Every structure is written in C-alpha cells, then in structure tokens.
Amino acid sequence: MSQTKKFVYMNRTAPYGTVYALESLEVVLIAAAFEQEVQLVFIDDGVYQLTKGQSTDGIGMKNFSKTYAALGDYDVNQIYVDEQSLKDRGLTMDDLQELVYEDEDEDWAEKSSMNLVSREQLATLMSEADVLLNF
C-alpha cells in the first residue's frame, strides 16, 4: 500500500554555477509524478531561482527558469519564499515570476502558488516534513 509523504525541498543556491537548482527541480517533478505532497522553499540565494527575466547568454548553461511556471500542472502549488532572504538581496515578490495553479475545488480558478513566509513559518514547515532535502 502506497503512503503519501510530505517532501520539503530547500532551495538555497543561485540558479546557475552549480547543478543544485536544476537537480532540485528534477526531483520535485519526480516526487510530484508519484503523487507525493511537495513543498518548495526558496531561501538565501535560492530566491534568485525565481527571478523574472533570467538570461544565460554567455555562461553556456540552458535557462530552465521557465520550467517553474509548469509546476502547477504537476500539482506543485505550495511554494514558499523567505521574506528575509528577499529583503537581504534588495528583492520583493514583484521581482519574482508569478507561479499559479488551477484549483479544481473552485471550478478551476487560477490561484497563486507563491507564499511569502517568515523564518518562524519556515521552521514550522521543516518540522512538519517527512522528508527534508537541501539543494
């Protein structure tokens, strides 16, 4: 018998320069395909993964930032952004991509997947996780 687990993925690194951001995105999609509860947290330099208008021209890496917009199609709609990390980097939620999902319980209304949270709220998310993965 299959059991659903709550997976929390902590995204802490900038989107390019390492494989961590891309690897995180890939394992998130795998967990979602196996119908696990997936929560993504963006903290520290990980908040840069969600910024608008990314360009990889000149660094020899594929720009995968547009893939985040597809997360709602995989029922990944619990995305948490650390408020302090944004503030420390001079960013606001307006600097980030708008990620949405369609709520089947409300006649497929489009809703935001993004949640701005405090460090206290993040601590609660982490304590409630069955599986916590850092990238």
Side-chain angles (χ1 to χ4, degrees):
M1 181 183 286
S2 147
Q3 181 180 2
T4 300
K5 300 248 184 218
K6 184 183 291 187
F7 285 75
V8 174
Y9 296 88
M10 302 290 293
N11 293 280
R12 297 177 175 274
T13 60
Y16 306 103
T18 69
V19 298
Y20 294 119
L22 181 58
E23 291 293 324
S24 171
L25 189 54
E26 288 179 353
V27 295
V28 161
L29 293 172
I30 291 167
F34 285 96
E35 299 179 356
Q36 300 302 304
E37 183 178 345
V38 173
Q39 297 176 335
L40 275 83
V41 174
F42 294 88
I43 189 169
D44 302 329
D45 285 345
V47 298
Y48 291 123
Q49 294 177 31
L50 298 177
T51 56
K52 295 176 185 172
Q54 294 180 28
S55 173
T56 57
D57 294 345
I59 64 170
M61 292 186 75
K62 182 177 180 176
N63 183 344
F64 59 87
S65 65
K66 293 180 182 174
T67 307
Y68 290 107
L71 290 173
D73 296 336
Y74 292 88
D75 293 326
V76 177
N77 53 34
Q78 297 179 65
I79 299 173
Y80 300 93
V81 179
D82 176 50
E83 184 174 29
Q84 188 63 50
S85 296
L86 284 179
K87 185 177 179 182
D88 290 348
R89 286 153 184 82
L91 299 172
T92 68
M93 291 294 280
D94 290 335
D95 296 308
L96 306 182
Q97 299 178 50
E98 183 178 342
L99 303 181
V100 297
Y101 70 100
E102 293 178 341
D103 188 343
E104 65 183 292
D105 294 331
E106 293 189 24
D107 200 26
W108 303 103
E110 195 172 83
K111 294 186 175 181
S112 177
S113 299
M114 305 287 279
N115 300 283
L116 186 63
V117 293
S118 68
R119 295 273 166 107
E120 290 175 346
Q121 291 168 305
L122 287 180
T124 300
L125 282 172
M126 291 167 51
S127 70
E128 294 173 349
D130 294 312
V131 179
L132 179 64
L133 299 165
N134 281 292
F135 290 89

